[in-house]
Coordinates of all heavy atoms in Angstrom, one line a residue:
M1 N -0.1 51.8 14.0 CA -1.5 51.9 14.3 C -1.8 52.7 15.6 O -2.8 53.4 15.6 CB -2.1 50.5 14.4 CG -2.1 49.7 13.1 SD -3.2 50.3 11.9 CE -4.8 50.0 12.7
N2 N -1.0 52.5 16.6 CA -1.3 53.2 17.9 C -1.2 54.7 17.7 O -1.9 55.4 18.4 CB -0.3 52.8 18.9 CG -0.5 51.4 19.4 OD1 -1.5 50.8 19.2 ND2 0.5 50.9 20.1
V3 N -0.4 55.2 16.8 CA -0.3 56.6 16.6 C -1.4 57.2 15.7 O -2.1 58.1 16.1 CB 1.1 57.0 16.0 CG1 1.2 58.4 15.7 CG2 2.2 56.5 16.9
N4 N -1.6 56.6 14.5 CA -2.5 57.2 13.5 C -3.9 56.7 13.6 O -4.8 57.2 13.0 CB -1.9 57.0 12.1 CG -0.6 57.8 11.9 OD1 -0.5 58.9 12.3 ND2 0.3 57.1 11.4
C5 N -4.1 55.6 14.3 CA -5.4 55.0 14.5 C -5.8 54.8 15.9 O -6.3 53.7 16.3 CB -5.5 53.7 13.7 SG -5.1 53.9 11.9
A6 N -5.5 55.7 16.8 CA -5.7 55.6 18.2 C -7.2 55.2 18.5 O -7.4 54.4 19.4 CB -5.3 56.8 18.9
K7 N -8.1 55.9 17.9 CA -9.5 55.6 18.2 C -9.9 54.2 17.9 O -10.5 53.5 18.7 CB -10.4 56.6 17.4 CG -11.9 56.5 17.7 CD -12.7 57.5 17.1 CE -14.1 57.4 17.5 NZ -15.0 58.4 16.8
S8 N -9.5 53.7 16.7 CA -9.8 52.3 16.3 C -9.1 51.3 17.2 O -9.6 50.2 17.5 CB -9.3 52.1 14.9 OG -10.1 52.9 14.0
C9 N -7.9 51.7 17.7 CA -7.2 50.8 18.6 C -7.6 51.0 20.1 O -7.0 50.4 21.0 CB -5.7 51.1 18.5 SG -5.0 50.6 16.9
R10 N -8.7 51.8 20.3 CA -9.2 52.0 21.6 C -8.2 52.6 22.6 O -8.1 52.2 23.8 CB -9.8 50.7 22.2 CG -11.0 50.3 21.4 CD -11.7 49.1 22.0 NE -12.8 48.8 21.1 CZ -13.1 47.6 20.7 NH1 -12.4 46.6 21.1 NH2 -14.2 47.3 19.9
L11 N -7.4 53.5 22.1 CA -6.4 54.1 23.0 C -6.8 55.5 23.4 O -6.1 56.2 24.2 CB -5.1 54.3 22.2 CG -4.4 53.0 21.9 CD1 -3.2 53.2 21.0 CD2 -4.0 52.2 23.1
C12 N -7.9 56.0 22.9 CA -8.4 57.4 23.2 C -8.6 57.6 24.7 O -8.5 58.7 25.2 CB -9.6 57.8 22.4 SG -9.2 57.9 20.6
D13 N -9.1 56.6 25.4 CA -9.4 56.8 26.8 C -8.2 56.5 27.7 O -8.3 56.6 28.9 CB -10.6 55.9 27.2 CG -11.8 56.3 26.5 OD1 -12.0 57.5 26.2 OD2 -12.6 55.5 26.2
S14 N -7.1 56.1 27.1 CA -5.9 55.8 28.0 C -5.3 57.1 28.6 O -5.4 58.1 28.0 CB -4.9 55.0 27.1 OG -4.3 55.8 26.1
K15 N -4.6 56.9 29.6 CA -3.9 58.0 30.3 C -2.7 58.4 29.4 O -2.0 57.5 28.9 CB -3.4 57.5 31.7 CG -4.5 57.2 32.6 CD -4.9 58.4 33.4 CE -5.9 57.9 34.5 NZ -7.0 58.7 34.5
C16 N -2.4 59.6 29.4 CA -1.2 60.1 28.7 C -0.1 60.2 29.6 O -0.2 60.6 30.8 CB -1.5 61.5 28.2 SG -0.1 62.2 27.3
G17 N 1.1 59.6 29.2 CA 2.2 59.6 30.0 C 3.5 59.4 29.2 O 3.5 59.4 28.0
N18 N 4.6 59.3 29.9 CA 5.8 58.9 29.3 C 6.2 57.5 29.8 O 6.1 57.3 31.0 CB 6.9 59.9 29.7 CG 6.7 61.3 29.1 OD1 6.3 61.4 28.0 ND2 7.0 62.3 29.9
Y19 N 6.6 56.7 28.9 CA 6.8 55.3 29.3 C 8.3 54.9 29.2 O 8.6 53.7 29.2 CB 6.0 54.4 28.4 CG 4.5 54.8 28.5 CD1 3.9 55.5 27.5 CD2 3.8 54.5 29.6 CE1 2.6 55.9 27.6 CE2 2.5 54.9 29.8 CZ 1.9 55.6 28.7 OH 0.6 56.0 28.9
N20 N 9.1 55.9 29.3 CA 10.6 55.7 29.4 C 11.1 56.9 30.2 O 10.7 58.0 30.0 CB 11.2 55.7 28.0 CG 12.7 55.4 28.1 OD1 13.5 56.1 28.7 ND2 13.1 54.4 27.3
R21 N 12.0 56.7 31.1 CA 12.4 57.7 32.0 C 13.2 58.8 31.3 O 13.4 59.9 31.8 CB 13.2 57.2 33.2 CG 14.5 56.5 32.7 CD 15.1 55.8 33.9 NE 16.2 54.9 33.5 CZ 17.5 55.2 33.8 NH1 17.8 56.2 34.6 NH2 18.4 54.4 33.4
N22 N 13.6 58.6 30.1 CA 14.4 59.5 29.3 C 13.6 60.4 28.3 O 14.1 61.2 27.6 CB 15.5 58.8 28.4 CG 16.5 58.1 29.3 OD1 17.0 58.6 30.3 ND2 16.7 56.8 29.0
C23 N 12.3 60.2 28.3 CA 11.4 60.9 27.4 C 11.6 62.4 27.4 O 11.7 63.1 26.3 CB 9.9 60.6 27.7 SG 9.5 58.9 27.2
E24 N 11.6 63.1 28.5 CA 11.7 64.5 28.6 C 13.0 65.0 28.0 O 13.0 66.0 27.2 CB 11.5 65.0 30.0 CG 10.1 64.8 30.6 CD 9.0 65.6 29.9 OE1 9.3 66.7 29.3 OE2 7.9 65.2 29.9
E25 N 14.1 64.3 28.3 CA 15.4 64.7 27.7 C 15.4 64.5 26.2 O 15.9 65.4 25.5 CB 16.5 63.9 28.4 CG 17.9 64.2 27.8 CD 18.3 65.6 28.1 OE1 17.8 66.3 29.0 OE2 19.2 66.1 27.3
W26 N 14.9 63.4 25.8 CA 14.8 63.1 24.3 C 14.0 64.2 23.6 O 14.3 64.6 22.5 CB 14.3 61.7 24.0 CG 15.2 60.6 24.5 CD1 16.6 60.7 24.6 CD2 14.8 59.3 24.7 NE1 17.0 59.5 25.0 CE2 16.0 58.6 25.1 CE3 13.6 58.6 24.7 CZ2 16.0 57.2 25.4 CZ3 13.6 57.3 25.1 CH2 14.8 56.6 25.4
A27 N 12.9 64.6 24.2 CA 12.0 65.6 23.6 C 12.8 66.9 23.5 O 12.7 67.6 22.5 CB 10.7 65.8 24.4
R28 N 13.6 67.3 24.5 CA 14.4 68.5 24.4 C 15.4 68.4 23.3 O 15.8 69.4 22.7 CB 15.1 68.8 25.8 CG 14.2 69.4 26.8 CD 14.9 69.9 28.0 NE 15.5 68.8 28.8 CZ 14.8 68.1 29.7 NH1 13.5 68.5 30.0 NH2 15.3 67.2 30.4
L29 N 15.8 67.2 23.0 CA 16.8 67.0 21.9 C 16.1 66.8 20.5 O 16.7 66.4 19.6 CB 17.7 65.8 22.2 CG 18.5 65.9 23.4 CD1 19.2 64.5 23.8 CD2 19.6 66.9 23.2
R30 N 14.8 67.1 20.5 CA 14.0 67.1 19.3 C 13.8 65.7 18.7 O 13.5 65.6 17.5 CB 14.6 68.1 18.2 CG 14.7 69.5 18.7 CD 15.2 70.5 17.7 NE 14.4 70.5 16.5 CZ 13.3 71.2 16.2 NH1 12.8 71.9 17.2 NH2 12.7 71.1 15.1
E31 N 13.8 64.7 19.6 CA 13.6 63.4 19.1 C 12.1 63.2 18.7 O 11.8 62.2 17.9 CB 14.0 62.4 20.2 CG 15.4 62.2 20.3 CD 16.2 61.7 19.1 OE1 15.6 60.8 18.4 OE2 17.2 62.2 18.8
C32 N 11.2 64.0 19.1 CA 9.8 63.9 18.7 C 9.6 64.0 17.2 O 8.8 63.4 16.6 CB 8.9 65.0 19.4 SG 8.9 64.8 21.2
T33 N 10.5 64.8 16.6 CA 10.4 65.0 15.1 C 11.4 64.1 14.5 O 11.2 63.6 13.3 CB 10.7 66.4 14.7 OG1 11.9 66.9 15.2 CG2 9.5 67.3 15.1
K34 N 12.5 63.8 15.1 CA 13.6 62.9 14.5 C 13.1 61.5 14.5 O 13.5 60.7 13.6 CB 14.9 63.1 15.2 CG 15.5 64.4 15.1 CD 16.8 64.5 15.9 CE 17.4 65.9 15.9 NZ 18.6 65.9 16.9
N35 N 12.4 61.1 15.6 CA 12.1 59.7 15.8 C 10.6 59.5 16.2 O 10.3 59.0 17.3 CB 13.0 59.1 16.8 CG 12.8 57.6 17.0 OD1 12.2 56.9 16.2 ND2 13.4 57.1 18.1
P36 N 9.7 60.0 15.4 CA 8.3 60.1 15.8 C 7.6 58.7 16.0 O 6.7 58.5 16.8 CB 7.6 60.9 14.7 CG 8.4 60.6 13.5 CD 9.8 60.6 14.1
D37 N 8.1 57.7 15.3 CA 7.5 56.3 15.4 C 7.6 55.8 16.8 O 6.7 55.2 17.4 CB 8.2 55.4 14.4 CG 7.9 55.7 13.0 OD1 6.9 56.4 12.7 OD2 8.7 55.2 12.1
Y38 N 8.8 56.1 17.5 CA 9.0 55.6 18.9 C 8.4 56.7 19.8 O 7.6 56.3 20.7 CB 10.5 55.5 19.2 CG 10.7 55.1 20.6 CD1 10.8 53.7 21.0 CD2 10.8 56.0 21.6 CE1 11.0 53.4 22.3 CE2 11.0 55.7 22.9 CZ 11.1 54.3 23.3 OH 11.3 54.0 24.6
M39 N 8.7 57.9 19.6 CA 8.4 59.0 20.6 C 6.9 59.2 20.8 O 6.4 59.4 21.9 CB 9.1 60.3 20.2 CG 10.6 60.2 20.3 SD 11.2 60.0 22.0 CE 10.9 61.6 22.7
T40 N 6.1 59.2 19.7 CA 4.6 59.4 19.9 C 3.9 58.3 20.6 O 2.9 58.4 21.1 CB 4.0 59.7 18.5 OG1 4.2 58.7 17.6 CG2 4.4 61.1 18.0
I41 N 4.5 57.1 20.6 CA 4.0 55.9 21.3 C 4.4 55.9 22.7 O 3.6 55.7 23.6 CB 4.3 54.6 20.5 CG1 3.6 54.6 19.2 CG2 3.9 53.4 21.3 CD1 4.0 53.5 18.2
Y42 N 5.7 56.0 22.9 CA 6.3 55.8 24.2 C 6.6 57.1 25.0 O 6.8 57.0 26.2 CB 7.6 55.0 24.1 CG 7.3 53.6 23.6 CD1 7.6 53.3 22.3 CD2 6.7 52.6 24.4 CE1 7.3 52.0 21.8 CE2 6.4 51.4 23.8 CZ 6.7 51.1 22.5 OH 6.4 49.8 22.0
C43 N 6.5 58.2 24.4 CA 6.7 59.5 25.1 C 5.6 60.5 24.7 O 6.0 61.7 24.4 CB 8.1 60.0 24.7 SG 9.4 58.9 25.2
P44 N 4.4 60.1 24.6 CA 3.4 61.1 24.1 C 3.2 62.4 25.0 O 3.0 63.4 24.4 CB 2.1 60.3 24.2 CG 2.3 59.2 25.2 CD 3.7 58.9 25.1
K45 N 3.4 62.3 26.3 CA 3.3 63.4 27.1 C 4.5 64.4 26.8 O 4.2 65.6 26.6 CB 3.4 63.1 28.6 CG 3.2 64.2 29.5 CD 3.1 63.8 31.0 CE 2.9 65.0 31.9 NZ 2.9 64.5 33.3
A46 N 5.7 63.9 26.7 CA 6.8 64.8 26.4 C 6.7 65.4 25.0 O 7.1 66.6 24.8 CB 8.1 64.0 26.5
C47 N 6.1 64.7 24.1 CA 5.9 65.2 22.7 C 4.6 65.9 22.5 O 4.3 66.3 21.3 CB 6.1 64.1 21.7 SG 7.7 63.3 21.7
H48 N 3.8 66.1 23.5 CA 2.5 66.8 23.3 C 1.7 66.1 22.3 O 1.0 66.7 21.5 CB 2.7 68.2 23.0 CG 3.6 69.0 24.0 ND1 3.2 69.2 25.3 CD2 4.8 69.4 23.8 CE1 4.2 69.8 25.9 NE2 5.2 70.0 25.0
S49 N 1.7 64.8 22.3 CA 0.9 64.0 21.2 C -0.1 63.0 21.9 O -0.3 62.0 21.3 CB 1.9 63.3 20.3 OG 2.7 62.4 21.0
C50 N -0.6 63.4 23.0 CA -1.6 62.5 23.6 C -2.8 62.4 22.8 O -3.3 63.4 22.2 CB -1.9 63.0 25.0 SG -0.5 63.1 26.1
H51 N -3.4 61.2 22.8 CA -4.7 61.0 22.1 C -5.8 61.0 23.1 O -6.1 59.9 23.6 CB -4.6 59.6 21.4 CG -3.6 59.5 20.4 ND1 -3.7 60.1 19.1 CD2 -2.4 58.9 20.4 CE1 -2.6 59.9 18.4 NE2 -1.8 59.1 19.1
G52 N -6.3 62.1 23.4 CA -7.4 62.2 24.4 C -8.7 62.2 23.8 O -8.9 62.5 22.6
G53 N -9.7 61.9 24.5 CA -11.1 61.9 24.0 C -11.8 63.2 24.3 O -13.0 63.3 24.0
T54 N -11.2 64.2 24.9 CA -11.9 65.4 25.2 C -11.3 66.6 24.6 O -10.1 66.5 24.2 CB -11.9 65.6 26.8 OG1 -10.6 65.9 27.2 CG2 -12.5 64.4 27.5
G55 N -12.0 67.7 24.6 CA -11.4 68.9 24.0 C -10.3 69.5 24.9 O -9.6 70.3 24.5
A56 N -10.2 69.0 26.1 CA -9.2 69.5 27.0 C -7.8 68.8 26.7 O -6.8 69.1 27.4 CB -9.6 69.2 28.5
D57 N -7.7 68.0 25.7 CA -6.5 67.3 25.4 C -5.4 68.3 25.0 O -5.6 68.9 24.0 CB -6.8 66.3 24.3 CG -5.5 65.5 23.9 OD1 -4.5 65.6 24.6 OD2 -5.6 64.9 22.8
V58 N -4.4 68.4 25.8 CA -3.3 69.4 25.4 C -2.6 69.1 24.2 O -2.0 69.9 23.6 CB -2.3 69.6 26.6 CG1 -3.0 70.1 27.8 CG2 -1.6 68.3 26.9
G59 N -2.7 67.8 23.7 CA -2.0 67.4 22.5 C -2.8 67.8 21.3 O -2.2 67.7 20.2
C60 N -4.0 68.2 21.4 CA -4.8 68.5 20.2 C -4.7 70.0 19.9 O -5.6 70.8 20.1 CB -6.3 68.1 20.5 SG -7.3 68.2 19.0
K61 N -3.6 70.4 19.4 CA -3.4 71.7 19.0 C -2.2 71.8 18.0 O -1.6 70.8 17.7 CB -3.0 72.6 20.2 CG -1.7 72.2 20.9 CD -1.5 73.1 22.2 CE -0.8 74.4 21.8 NZ -0.4 75.2 22.9
D62 N -2.1 73.0 17.4 CA -1.0 73.2 16.5 C 0.1 74.0 17.3 O -0.2 75.0 17.9 CB -1.5 74.0 15.3 CG -2.4 73.3 14.4 OD1 -2.3 72.0 14.3 OD2 -3.2 73.9 13.7
W63 N 1.3 73.5 17.2 CA 2.4 74.2 17.9 C 3.1 75.2 17.0 O 4.1 75.8 17.5 CB 3.3 73.1 18.4 CG 2.7 72.3 19.5 CD1 2.0 71.1 19.3 CD2 2.6 72.5 20.9 NE1 1.5 70.6 20.4 CE2 1.9 71.5 21.4 CE3 3.1 73.5 21.7 CZ2 1.6 71.4 22.8 CZ3 2.9 73.5 23.0 CH2 2.1 72.4 23.6
N64 N 2.7 75.4 15.8 CA 3.3 76.3 14.9 C 2.2 77.1 14.3 O 1.2 76.6 13.8 CB 4.2 75.6 13.9 CG 5.0 76.6 13.1 OD1 4.5 77.5 12.4 ND2 6.3 76.4 13.1
E65 N 2.3 78.4 14.2 CA 1.3 79.3 13.6 C 1.0 79.0 12.1 O 0.0 79.4 11.6 CB 1.7 80.8 13.8 CG 2.9 81.2 13.0 CD 3.3 82.6 13.2 OE1 2.5 83.5 12.8 OE2 4.3 82.9 13.9
Y66 N 1.9 78.3 11.4 CA 1.8 78.0 10.0 C 1.2 76.7 9.7 O 1.0 76.3 8.5 CB 3.1 78.2 9.3 CG 3.7 79.5 9.4 CD1 4.8 79.8 10.2 CD2 3.1 80.6 8.7 CE1 5.3 81.0 10.3 CE2 3.6 81.9 8.9 CZ 4.7 82.1 9.7 OH 5.3 83.4 9.8
C67 N 0.8 75.9 10.7 CA 0.3 74.5 10.6 C -0.9 74.5 9.6 O -0.9 73.6 8.7 CB -0.1 73.9 11.9 SG 1.4 73.4 12.9
A68 N -1.9 75.3 9.8 CA -3.1 75.3 8.9 C -2.7 75.4 7.5 O -3.2 74.7 6.6 CB -4.1 76.3 9.4
A69 N -1.9 76.4 7.2 CA -1.5 76.7 5.8 C -0.7 75.5 5.2 O -0.9 75.0 4.1 CB -0.6 77.9 5.7
W70 N 0.2 74.9 6.0 CA 1.0 73.8 5.6 C 0.1 72.6 5.3 O 0.3 71.9 4.3 CB 2.1 73.4 6.6 CG 3.2 74.4 6.8 CD1 3.6 75.3 5.9 CD2 4.0 74.6 7.9 NE1 4.6 76.1 6.4 CE2 4.9 75.6 7.7 CE3 4.0 73.9 9.2 CZ2 5.9 76.0 8.6 CZ3 5.0 74.3 10.1 CH2 5.9 75.4 9.8
A71 N -0.9 72.4 6.2 CA -1.8 71.2 6.0 C -2.6 71.4 4.7 O -2.8 70.4 4.0 CB -2.7 71.1 7.2
R72 N -3.0 72.6 4.4 CA -3.8 72.9 3.2 C -2.9 72.6 2.0 O -3.4 72.2 0.9 CB -4.3 74.3 3.1 CG -5.5 74.6 4.0 CD -6.1 75.9 3.7 NE -5.2 77.0 4.0 CZ -5.0 77.7 5.1 NH1 -5.7 77.2 6.2 NH2 -4.2 78.7 5.2
N73 N -1.6 72.7 2.1 CA -0.7 72.4 1.0 C -0.2 71.0 1.0 O 0.7 70.7 0.3 CB 0.5 73.4 1.1 CG 0.1 74.8 0.7 OD1 -0.7 75.0 -0.2 ND2 0.7 75.8 1.4
G74 N -0.8 70.1 1.8 CA -0.5 68.7 1.7 C 0.7 68.2 2.5 O 1.1 67.1 2.4
Q75 N 1.1 69.1 3.4 CA 2.3 68.7 4.2 C 2.1 67.6 5.2 O 3.0 66.9 5.7 CB 2.9 69.9 4.9 CG 3.5 70.9 4.0 CD 4.7 70.3 3.2 OE1 5.6 69.7 3.8 NE2 4.7 70.4 1.9
C76 N 0.8 67.3 5.6 CA 0.6 66.2 6.5 C 1.0 64.9 5.9 O 1.5 64.0 6.6 CB -0.9 66.2 6.9 SG -1.5 67.7 7.7
R77 N 0.9 64.8 4.6 CA 1.3 63.6 3.9 C 2.8 63.6 3.5 O 3.5 62.6 3.6 CB 0.4 63.3 2.7 CG -0.9 62.7 3.0 CD -1.8 62.5 1.8 NE -2.5 63.7 1.7 CZ -2.6 64.4 0.5 NH1 -1.9 64.0 -0.5 NH2 -3.3 65.5 0.5
V78 N 3.2 64.8 3.1 CA 4.6 65.0 2.6 C 5.6 65.0 3.7 O 6.7 64.4 3.5 CB 4.7 66.3 1.7 CG1 6.1 66.5 1.3 CG2 3.8 66.2 0.5
N79 N 5.3 65.6 4.8 CA 6.2 65.8 5.9 C 5.6 65.3 7.2 O 5.5 66.1 8.2 CB 6.6 67.2 6.0 CG 7.7 67.5 7.0 OD1 8.3 66.6 7.5 ND2 7.9 68.8 7.3
P80 N 5.2 64.0 7.3 CA 4.5 63.5 8.5 C 5.3 63.5 9.8 O 4.8 63.7 10.9 CB 4.0 62.1 8.1 CG 5.0 61.7 7.1 CD 5.4 62.9 6.3
D81 N 6.6 63.4 9.7 CA 7.5 63.3 10.9 C 7.3 64.6 11.7 O 7.3 64.6 12.9 CB 8.9 63.2 10.5 CG 9.2 61.8 10.0 OD1 8.4 60.9 10.0 OD2 10.3 61.6 9.4
Y82 N 7.2 65.7 11.1 CA 7.0 67.0 11.8 C 5.5 67.2 12.0 O 5.0 67.5 13.1 CB 7.6 68.2 11.0 CG 7.4 69.5 11.7 CD1 8.3 69.9 12.7 CD2 6.2 70.3 11.5 CE1 8.1 71.1 13.4 CE2 6.0 71.4 12.2 CZ 6.9 71.9 13.1 OH 6.7 73.0 13.8
M83 N 4.7 67.2 10.9 CA 3.3 67.6 10.9 C 2.4 66.8 11.9 O 1.6 67.4 12.6 CB 2.7 67.5 9.5 CG 3.4 68.5 8.5 SD 3.0 70.2 8.9 CE 1.3 70.3 8.5
L84 N 2.6 65.5 11.9 CA 1.7 64.7 12.8 C 2.1 64.8 14.3 O 1.3 64.4 15.1 CB 1.8 63.2 12.4 CG 1.3 63.0 10.9 CD1 1.3 61.5 10.7 CD2 -0.1 63.5 10.6
V85 N 3.2 65.5 14.6 CA 3.5 65.7 16.0 C 3.2 67.1 16.4 O 2.6 67.4 17.4 CB 5.0 65.4 16.2 CG1 5.4 65.9 17.6 CG2 5.4 64.0 16.0
Y86 N 3.6 68.1 15.5 CA 3.5 69.5 15.9 C 2.3 70.2 15.3 O 2.0 71.4 15.6 CB 4.8 70.3 15.6 CG 5.9 69.8 16.5 CD1 6.9 69.0 16.0 CD2 5.9 70.2 17.8 CE1 7.9 68.5 16.9 CE2 6.9 69.8 18.7 CZ 7.9 69.0 18.2 OH 8.9 68.5 19.0
C87 N 1.6 69.6 14.4 CA 0.4 70.2 13.7 C -0.8 69.2 13.8 O -1.5 69.0 12.9 CB 0.7 70.5 12.3 SG 2.0 71.8 12.1
R88 N -0.9 68.6 15.0 CA -2.0 67.6 15.2 C -3.4 68.1 14.8 O -4.1 67.4 14.2 CB -1.9 67.1 16.6 CG -0.6 66.3 16.9 CD -0.6 65.8 18.3 NE -1.8 65.2 18.8 CZ -2.2 64.0 18.4 NH1 -1.6 63.3 17.6 NH2 -3.4 63.5 18.9
K89 N -3.7 69.3 15.2 CA -5.1 69.8 15.0 C -5.3 69.9 13.5 O -6.3 69.5 12.9 CB -5.3 71.1 15.7 CG -6.7 71.6 15.5 CD -6.9 72.9 16.4 CE -8.3 73.4 16.2 NZ -8.5 74.7 17.0
S90 N -4.4 70.6 12.8 CA -4.5 70.8 11.3 C -4.5 69.6 10.5 O -5.1 69.5 9.5 CB -3.5 71.8 10.9 OG -3.7 73.1 11.4
C91 N -3.8 68.5 11.0 CA -3.7 67.3 10.3 C -4.8 66.3 10.8 O -4.7 65.1 10.4 CB -2.3 66.7 10.5 SG -1.0 67.6 9.6
S92 N -5.7 66.7 11.5 CA -6.8 65.9 12.0 C -6.4 64.6 12.8 O -6.9 63.6 12.5 CB -7.8 65.5 10.8 OG -8.2 66.6 10.2
Q93 N -5.4 64.8 13.6 CA -4.9 63.7 14.4 C -5.5 63.6 15.8 O -5.1 62.8 16.6 CB -3.4 63.9 14.6 CG -2.6 63.7 13.3 CD -2.8 62.3 12.7 OE1 -2.4 61.3 13.3 NE2 -3.4 62.2 11.6
C94 N -6.5 64.4 16.1 CA -7.1 64.4 17.4 C -8.6 64.8 17.3 O -9.0 65.2 16.3 CB -6.4 65.3 18.4 SG -6.1 67.0 17.7

């Protein structure tokens, strides 16, 4: 719920951060896509998945040039481990 329903859970105004001292290292090891259930909740800053309430939210973007095309082809549902982290804008996650 905290990841996909942040607005309903009233998390949109919360500060973005990392809540484990290993987050940055895990993100470099691609844990944001391998383990998104943990990483997007406890390491949102390292995974660029902050749920901000403003347009200045750095997490509200697509990190791959093909995100929009993939989203149109249903990949947000088929491949959420990647898409909901790296294609947040195209998958309407922010």
Side-chain angles (χ1 to χ4, degrees):
M1 291 293 291
N2 289 346
V3 175
N4 295 316
C5 302
K7 185 174 182 180
S8 297
C9 293
R10 297 187 178 131
L11 296 174
C12 291
D13 295 326
S14 65
K15 298 268 188 229
C16 179
N18 291 321
Y19 304 103
N20 187 302
R21 62 188 172 114
N22 297 311
C23 287
E24 293 295 333
E25 178 63 22
W26 291 337
R28 281 190 290 277
L29 295 172
R30 302 184 54 85
E31 287 298 319
C32 298
T33 55
K34 294 177 187 174
N35 187 11
D37 292 339
Y38 179 90
M39 294 294 287
T40 55
I41 293 171
Y42 297 105
C43 301
K45 185 175 180 183
C47 292
H48 308 289
S49 61
C50 297
H51 298 285
T54 69
D57 179 13
V58 297
C60 190
K61 65 182 276 185
D62 290 334
W63 293 90
N64 189 300
E65 65 181 292
Y66 300 108
C67 286
W70 292 336
R72 284 191 300 273
N73 288 322
Q75 290 300 308
C76 297
R77 280 178 272 126
V78 175
N79 187 13
D81 291 349
Y82 179 88
M83 294 294 290
L84 299 183
V85 174
Y86 292 104
C87 297
R88 292 181 46 72
K89 183 176 180 181
S90 291
C91 290
S92 302
Q93 292 296 299
C94 48

